[in-house]
Amino acid sequence: MADFVVDFGKLGQVPQEGRLDAPAFHRNHEPIWSAIGSLLSAQSGDVLELGSGTGQHAITYAARTPQLTWWPSDILPSHLLSIEAWRRQAGLANVRAPQRIDLMDPAWVWTADGQAGGPLAAMICINVLHISPWAVAQNLIAGAGRLLRHGGRLFVYGPFKRDGQHTAPSNAAFDQKLRAENPAWGVRDVADLDALAQAAGLSAAEITPMPANNLVLAFARIVRQN
Ligand SMILES: C[S@@+](CC[C@H](N)C(=O)[O-])C[C@H]1O[C@@H](n2cnc3c(N)ncnc32)[C@H](O)[C@@H]1O
């Protein structure tokens, strides 16, 4: 029997408490892990995922990092249900209940057991910035500047432009398709994200190329001592 119940893309078919399956997860979770795994494995503390979707990345990576506590989040009720369903099935002590975080809110916060969450070891955001307005990127990176601890990293995965150029014709076509669907969406430029990072007190992106012309960007928070 399948290990999951319904394709992520077919939201009309979502049962109330179903574990959703994202086909892209099966393609990208190992490449992403190859870029972030050693950094995460060397940390302890809290990891916040934004736009967790089905919840599959958080569950999979939490199983590999028992010394970290994972806090998944999303805005959509059906996704929060899916994350919770995967969490219950996995039975991992280090994955906490999903919380609703809307990155369109410039003052977004995260909570740990009903209290304001403390400084984070890491944040991760996979395949969100191109299918949301630019404000989501602004608020994600500003939030990383507020919420990461010294040396903590924000990992972002997706398709990106570099210095104004698409990295492949397929990404250019994808960008056009996204913008036709919603003019506020689109493939973002690493240089624009670096500018946001600089304003938020983060390093410029450390870039790891991924299959299918995607990138992992890692922004580190460096707290300057005077
Ligand atoms: C393409 S899905 C990626 C989901 C998951 N990270 C993955 O890779 O399978 C984009 C996700 O971003 C979430 N999202 C969109 N706008 C958001 C916002 N303003 N704040 C938080 N999450 C948002 C969606 O609900 C969806 O779960």
Side-chain angles (χ1 to χ4, degrees):
M1 202 170 84
D3 196 27
F4 44 81
V5 291
V6 71
D7 186 324
F8 191 41
K10 298 176 185 154
L11 289 184
Q13 299 175 17
V14 174
Q16 272 300 294
E17 289 209 68
R19 280 171 285 139
L20 305 178
D21 178 56
F25 160 80
H26 299 282
R27 297 190 294 273
N28 67 27
H29 73 279
E30 290 299 353
I32 295 172
W33 182 253
S34 73
I36 71 174
S38 61
L39 291 165
L40 286 178
S41 298
Q43 302 290 321
S44 59
D46 295 307
V47 180
L48 179 66
E49 187 182 23
L50 291 309
S52 297
T54 65
Q56 290 165 294
H57 290 100
I59 300 292
T60 302
Y61 298 154
R64 300 175 183 186
T65 52
Q67 83 290 357
L68 290 168
T69 302
W70 286 75
W71 302 85
S73 71
D74 206 281
I75 40 167
L76 284 183
S78 59
H79 294 182
L80 295 171
L81 284 172
S82 173
I83 299 162
E84 180 57 17
W86 279 108
R87 186 176 89 96
R88 223 177 305 114
Q89 191 219 25
L92 294 168
N94 66 329
V95 185
R96 297 301 173 84
Q99 57 191 284
R100 186 180 188 282
I101 295 178
D102 181 359
L103 289 171
M104 287 299 285
D105 175 3
W108 69 271
V109 290
W110 78 285
T111 56
D113 304 324
Q115 312 283 329
L120 291 159
M123 294 164 55
I124 183 163
C125 188
I126 298 172
N127 271 336
V128 174
L129 297 189
H130 57 285
I131 51 162
S132 54
W134 176 240
V136 163
Q138 293 176 305
N139 296 334
L140 173 71
I141 290 177
R146 283 195 312 272
L147 299 170
L148 286 174
R149 69 188 184 201
H150 173 67
R153 283 182 176 78
L154 165 65
F155 298 107
V156 184
Y157 168 90
F160 297 99
K161 292 196 268 188
R162 297 187 71 172
D163 297 323
Q165 304 297 318
H166 285 291
T167 61
S170 58
N171 278 12
F174 184 46
D175 190 28
Q176 277 198 342
K177 188 168 159 252
L178 288 167
R179 290 175 194 277
E181 194 171 338
N182 186 330
W185 294 359
V187 172
R188 309 303 175 191
D189 196 309
V190 176
D192 295 333
L193 298 175
D194 276 346
L196 296 179
Q198 188 179 18
L202 306 176
S203 67
E206 194 179 311
I207 300 173
T208 309
M210 293 278 106
N213 305 303
N214 290 298
L215 302 174
V216 168
L217 309 179
F219 301 94
R221 179 164 187 236
I222 310 299
V223 180
R224 301 201 189 287
Q225 316 275 343
N226 289 321

